[in-house]
Amino acid sequence: MSETSASVFNHIFHNRNLYPQVEITNAQKSINKILGYLNAGRLRKAVSTLFRFPELLPYSLYAHLFQICCSQRAIVEARKVESHLVTFSPTPPIFLLNRAIETYGKCGFLNDARELFEEMPQKDGGSWNAMITAYAQGGFPDEAFSLFLGMNKVGVYANKITFASILGSCAASFELNLSRQIHGHIMKYGFHRNVILCSSLVDVYGKCQVMSDARKMFNEIRYPNAITWNVIVRRYLDNGDGREAVLMFSRMLSAAIRPLNFTFSNALVACSSIYALKEGMQIHGVVTKLGFLENDVVSSSLINMYVKCGELYEGSRIFYELGSKDLVTWTSIVSGYAMSGKTLEARELFNEMPERNIISWNAMLAGYIDSSKWLEALDFLYLMLDETKSLDHVTLSLMLKLSAGLSDHEMGKQVHGYIYRYGFHFNLMVGNALLDMYGKCGNLNNARVWFGIMSTWRDKVSWNALLTSYARHQLSEQALAMFSEMQLETKPTTYTFGTLLAACANTSALYHGKQVHGYMIRHGIEIGTVLSTALLHMYSKCRCIGYAFQVLKGIPFRDVGLWNTIIFGCCHNRRAKEALELFGAMVEEGIKPNHVTFHGILVACVEEGLVEYGAQCFKSMMNEYSVLPQLEHYNCMIELYSRNGYMDELENFVKTMPIEPTISMLNIALDACKKHEYSKLGEWIMEKINEFNY
DNA sequence: AATATCGTAC
């Protein structure tokens, strides 16, 4: 009996104590193993260890695993964790399933998330939030909205997390009306002191381009934090109000809130957009003081700001003084040189870059195209396609700009084919570049057809591009008619008026030109330097020099373009002598003449027959001003010598010029040779012309 | 964060 009882006791003892102890040890062993793998960053190994253990483990472990799957976007492992959980736990806690939904959402597998969400026998507010957040962050705002409605229907209360996600979706899909309703809810639920939600409202209003409401909301926030300030600066910048963006940034500094690196960056981009060098330099000072100089985000924007404000040297100084340079700072400086017309230096830097991406390639390509170096651009493009095998919407837009610059209709059509194949048809920027290409290559019909196709997604840039095509084809009447039509769909911009005035100028349509000028005054259009230049050009082309001078009087700042317009305006109005006097005044004012200026000067010399002075200008343009003569300058010189019978000089010039004379240059010179019986050069030219025929 | 479509003088 005692023996038996002893053995029974023994048995019970084993069952009660010894066996459970083994079980705990095994579970503990597995847990330790899993945690060890996780600490070593070996998620897959951790999950397969979990899978080999056929019983439920502590819930906190699953939570931990989901969290890591989430941050590593490990969908396969996440599915395994969920399956282990639901296999061994008949009623898993809701919070864990919510974590699973979050994880699936973060991995971008919204169907998995939705399936789990639907199958949950019980949901709490967190489940709805997890699902809504998944849709909101996965780029499915409409799904998020409908779930939000569903949640209200079944009587689950929204909380601040719900509102934050829904506002994010509103911002992504520019849902202004819904945003206003959410705004009301937020106030009603008593979240008016919640800085995060209120900052989101500022963001939404800004994204919906209602800056007045954004600002109102901002002003209601008692303690705006760094993110709030960042949002308001960024939204002003995006809405084209660089001035206000810079202003808000300076207020942020006054409020003693330490800017984020992106806020510095936004403020500097805002400075670039309004060419506010002084303000930019002040921000540079703050950057230095607060120790952001070595921050890649800040330094690249700083370089960019100096370059855009015309201080390339200062930009490159920052670049060279940087301790570590990343891809973006490299791209900034390459782009800086490229966009300042210094393509040689830019290319050297480009070749030195330790790594490149599509943006760096695009930046270099844009530099060539911007300085009209078409052939270099073409070579570079081939190299790019060869080496990177990749292109994006920016590359395609640049390719179209290149085709337009070369007036190469065939190439343009080929690029159109590319666009079609790569599925960039609905990209607005590419579409507008395509429109412009057809216009510039002289195919107005294709431009119009494409403009029609774009009717559901075109913008004001599309209208401007089409107007330009009409203007280019000397169809100013039709351009003005389009202008009326345009106003039914969108508002005109500076570009619109620039184009219209040019159209009037080129067709000497004084009446229409005055109408456009009147429209601008009546509608309070700000007439800056560009539009003043366009007006001046129009009036002087229309031989209305009195009005032209009237416009000139009201302009406080004269740039090269304006001076060039005045100089050419004098030439058109048989006042070449005054053009030459103006050149002196311009130089005195400290404005650097460019290739267009010298073209104007040489045209004036041709008109006045000033051979020696013209030759002197031609020399000084290279030696003193380092402006490289182009076709039109050579053309002027040949005309100058030919018209005035300077045959020895003509011969010397034609035979030593570094580029091949064009057929029209040769014809001008040949006429002179015939007139002055200068057969020595005449024969040489005849030979050249014959070469052209072969 | 860095590239990016339309305008003025030729």
Side-chain angles (χ1 to χ4, degrees):
Chain A
M1 173 81 186
S2 68
E3 261 185 50
T4 324
S5 64
S7 66
V8 169
F9 255 100
N10 216 348
H11 184 74
I12 294 171
F13 189 81
H14 268 261
N15 262 348
R16 276 255 181 96
N17 290 322
L18 215 58
Y19 179 66
Q21 237 171 33
V22 170
E23 187 186 56
I24 289 168
T25 314
N26 276 345
Q28 198 58 52
K29 263 190 198 160
S30 289
I31 292 170
N32 288 342
K33 230 172 154 183
I34 289 169
L35 290 177
Y37 282 132
L38 288 181
N39 283 335
R42 300 177 66 184
L43 177 60
R44 272 176 68 177
K45 209 73 177 126
V47 173
S48 64
T49 310
L50 170 76
F51 241 61
R52 275 202 301 275
F53 191 75
E55 274 174 63
L56 187 68
L57 286 169
Y59 291 137
S60 61
L61 184 69
Y62 294 95
H64 190 47
L65 279 164
F66 277 132
Q67 193 204 328
I68 291 177
C69 291
C70 192
S71 65
Q72 296 190 9
R73 311 274 192 272
I75 179 66
V76 178
E77 283 66 32
R79 283 178 181 146
K80 284 185 178 167
V81 175
E82 190 214 319
S83 118
H84 193 271
L85 173 68
V86 297
T87 309
F88 299 107
S89 170
T91 50
I94 298 179
F95 88 90
L96 264 187
L97 296 179
N98 294 350
R99 291 295 91 79
I101 293 176
E102 279 168 21
T103 307
Y104 292 145
K106 267 274 164 25
C107 295
F109 285 76
L110 293 155
N111 287 338
D112 286 57
R114 187 61 185 255
E115 203 177 305
L116 176 57
F117 177 77
E118 297 294 348
E119 282 171 359
M120 282 170 77
Q122 284 195 317
K123 303 179 183 65
D124 64 4
S127 322
W128 288 90
N129 283 343
M131 200 57 232
I132 288 175
T133 308
Y135 279 131
Q137 295 188 347
F140 296 92
D142 289 339
E143 297 287 347
F145 296 147
S146 82
L147 226 55
F148 176 62
L149 290 179
M151 169 179 192
N152 286 329
K153 239 182 232 162
V154 297
V156 178
Y157 284 110
N159 67 6
K160 51 190 179 181
I161 294 172
T162 327
F163 288 133
S165 286
I166 290 295
L167 282 176
S169 289
C170 288
S173 55
F174 308 105
E175 274 286 347
L176 184 56
N177 283 331
L178 185 58
S179 303
R180 292 199 198 281
Q181 288 178 33
I182 302 293
H183 189 165
H185 276 92
I186 287 173
M187 296 299 140
K188 199 175 88 183
Y189 281 54
F191 290 126
H192 59 283
R193 291 277 173 81
N194 186 310
V195 180
I196 297 176
L197 288 181
C198 292
S199 303
S200 297
L201 281 168
V202 175
D203 192 42
V204 165
Y205 288 133
K207 279 210 176 108
C208 295
Q209 301 181 340
V210 199
M211 276 319 284
S212 52
D213 284 1
R215 183 57 174 270
K216 243 190 238 163
M217 187 67 237
F218 180 85
N219 289 342
E220 282 174 22
I221 301 175
R222 202 178 302 174
Y223 300 109
N225 62 22
I227 296 176
T228 321
W229 283 103
N230 184 60
V231 164
I232 192 85
V233 169
R234 178 61 196 249
R235 292 284 84 92
Y236 273 121
L237 174 62
D238 284 347
N239 281 286
D241 196 344
R243 237 180 65 91
E244 203 58 31
V246 176
L247 218 63
M248 287 313 275
F249 181 74
S250 71
R251 288 210 186 161
M252 176 181 192
L253 295 178
S254 309
I257 303 290
R258 187 182 166 85
L260 305 166
N261 57 354
F262 284 104
T263 318
F264 271 119
S265 168
N266 289 330
L268 286 165
V269 173
C271 289
S272 324
S273 74
I274 54 168
Y275 305 104
L277 178 62
K278 224 176 74 190
E279 287 78 0
M281 287 169 74
Q282 282 170 353
I283 296 177
H284 186 176
V286 183
V287 166
T288 313
K289 210 172 114 189
L290 296 183
F292 276 91
L293 212 49
E294 283 290 331
N295 186 296
D296 290 330
V297 173
V298 178
S299 57
S300 55
S301 307
L302 206 50
I303 293 170
N304 206 30
M305 183 279 294
Y306 277 115
V307 169
K308 290 239 168 84
C309 292
E311 300 287 330
L312 179 59
Y313 174 76
E314 194 56 31
S316 67
R317 205 175 61 86
I318 292 171
F319 174 77
Y320 286 111
E321 285 176 5
L322 278 178
S324 72
K325 307 162 171 59
D326 75 344
L327 178 60
V328 179
T329 36
W330 270 101
T331 307
S332 296
I333 198 66
V334 167
S335 160
Y337 277 100
M339 287 311 179
S340 312
K342 299 190 184 300
T343 47
L344 274 175
E345 288 90 335
R347 183 58 181 276
E348 269 173 30
L349 281 162
F350 179 84
N351 291 340
E352 278 175 38
M353 286 179 82
E355 50 167 344
R356 307 177 187 96
N357 64 6
I358 182 97
I359 298 181
S360 344
W361 283 92
N362 285 341
M364 190 61 234
L365 180 63
Y368 286 127
I369 291 175
D370 216 55
S371 357
S372 312
K373 291 174 180 158
W374 311 120
L375 297 179
E376 277 110 317
L378 211 53
D379 275 347
F380 188 78
L381 178 64
Y382 287 134
L383 184 72
M384 173 176 179
L385 297 179
D386 210 43
E387 287 204 2
T388 70
K389 308 258 185 265
S390 69
L391 44 79
D392 67 357
H393 59 120
V394 178
T395 322
L396 286 167
S397 305
L398 289 170
M399 283 164 81
L400 288 167
K401 207 174 172 181
L402 179 56
S403 316
L406 289 163
S407 290
D408 191 336
H409 196 191
E410 281 310 309
M411 178 178 169
K413 283 185 191 165
Q414 267 183 27
V415 180
H416 194 163
Y418 252 137
I419 290 168
Y420 199 79
R421 255 178 291 156
Y422 285 82
F424 280 100
H425 244 69
F426 296 110
N427 182 295
L428 189 54
M429 203 204 314
V430 173
N432 286 336
L434 194 57
L435 194 58
D436 189 52
M437 182 278 294
Y438 278 125
K440 287 211 170 108
C441 290
N443 195 331
L444 185 56
N445 210 28
N446 271 4
R448 282 165 56 177
V449 169
W450 178 235
F451 183 77
I453 295 173
M454 287 174 80
S455 67
T456 51
W457 75 90
R458 67 190 175 204
D459 67 350
K460 46 188 73 176
V461 175
S462 330
W463 280 95
N464 290 339
L466 190 69
L467 278 176
T468 315
S469 306
Y470 276 94
R472 198 179 310 277
H473 288 261
Q474 309 279 341
L475 300 168
S476 9
E477 294 261 1
Q478 283 91 329
L480 283 166
M482 291 295 293
F483 174 57
S484 309
E485 226 179 289
M486 170 182 186
Q487 289 172 76
L488 300 174
E489 199 174 293
T490 181
K491 274 173 81 174
T493 67
T494 319
Y495 286 82
T496 319
F497 296 110
T499 307
L500 289 176
L501 289 170
C504 297
N506 294 331
T507 51
S508 298
L510 180 61
Y511 174 74
H512 290 129
K514 279 183 175 172
Q515 276 197 327
V516 175
H517 191 179
Y519 180 101
M520 287 161 64
I521 294 171
R522 282 197 305 278
H523 287 78
I525 305 294
E526 198 188 335
I527 302 181
T529 308
V530 168
L531 286 185
S532 304
T533 307
L535 278 170
L536 196 65
H537 180 225
M538 185 272 291
Y539 282 124
S540 67
K541 268 286 180 69
C542 294
R543 296 282 165 90
C544 201
I545 200 81
Y547 273 54
F549 280 121
Q550 198 78 21
V551 172
L552 191 59
K553 264 194 228 158
I555 306 172
F557 175 71
R558 295 183 275 263
D559 65 0
V560 206
L562 184 68
W563 278 105
N564 292 343
T565 309
I566 307 170
I567 288 172
F568 269 99
C570 289
C571 293
H572 294 313
N573 287 279
R574 309 225 166 277
R575 295 180 178 211
K577 270 202 181 119
E578 280 168 60
L580 297 174
E581 283 165 23
L582 282 165
F583 176 62
M586 166 183 180
V587 173
E588 214 161 276
E589 221 176 83
I591 304 292
K592 231 183 114 218
N594 65 13
H595 66 108
V596 181
T597 322
F598 282 104
H599 185 196
I601 299 304
L602 292 176
V603 168
C605 290
V606 171
E607 273 190 26
E608 291 291 320
L610 297 169
V611 183
E612 274 92 11
Y613 185 67
Q616 195 188 316
C617 285
F618 187 81
K619 264 188 204 138
S620 77
M621 87 181 257
M622 286 184 285
N623 301 337
E624 272 179 61
Y625 297 96
S626 47
V627 173
L628 211 63
Q630 291 167 6
L631 274 184
E632 59 267 26
H633 305 97
Y634 288 105
N635 201 59
C636 281
M637 286 312 291
I638 287 171
E639 226 179 311
L640 190 59
Y641 289 133
S642 300
R643 272 205 201 181
N644 297 286
Y646 279 59
M647 298 316 289
D648 292 336
E649 286 82 354
L650 178 64
E651 177 169 11
N652 184 36
F653 190 83
V654 174
K655 287 189 174 166
T656 58
M657 57 192 267
I659 58 165
E660 278 296 304
T662 64
I663 195 88
S664 86
M665 290 178 193
L666 292 173
N667 279 327
I668 293 169
L670 187 62
D671 282 346
C673 290
K674 280 182 191 153
K675 192 173 158 199
H676 295 95
E677 296 175 345
Y678 196 75
S679 55
K680 191 165 57 135
L681 179 60
E683 280 161 22
W684 184 83
I685 290 176
M686 286 295 284
E687 262 175 49
K688 279 266 173 199
I689 290 179
N690 282 335
E691 277 173 30
F692 263 102
N693 293 333
Y694 280 113

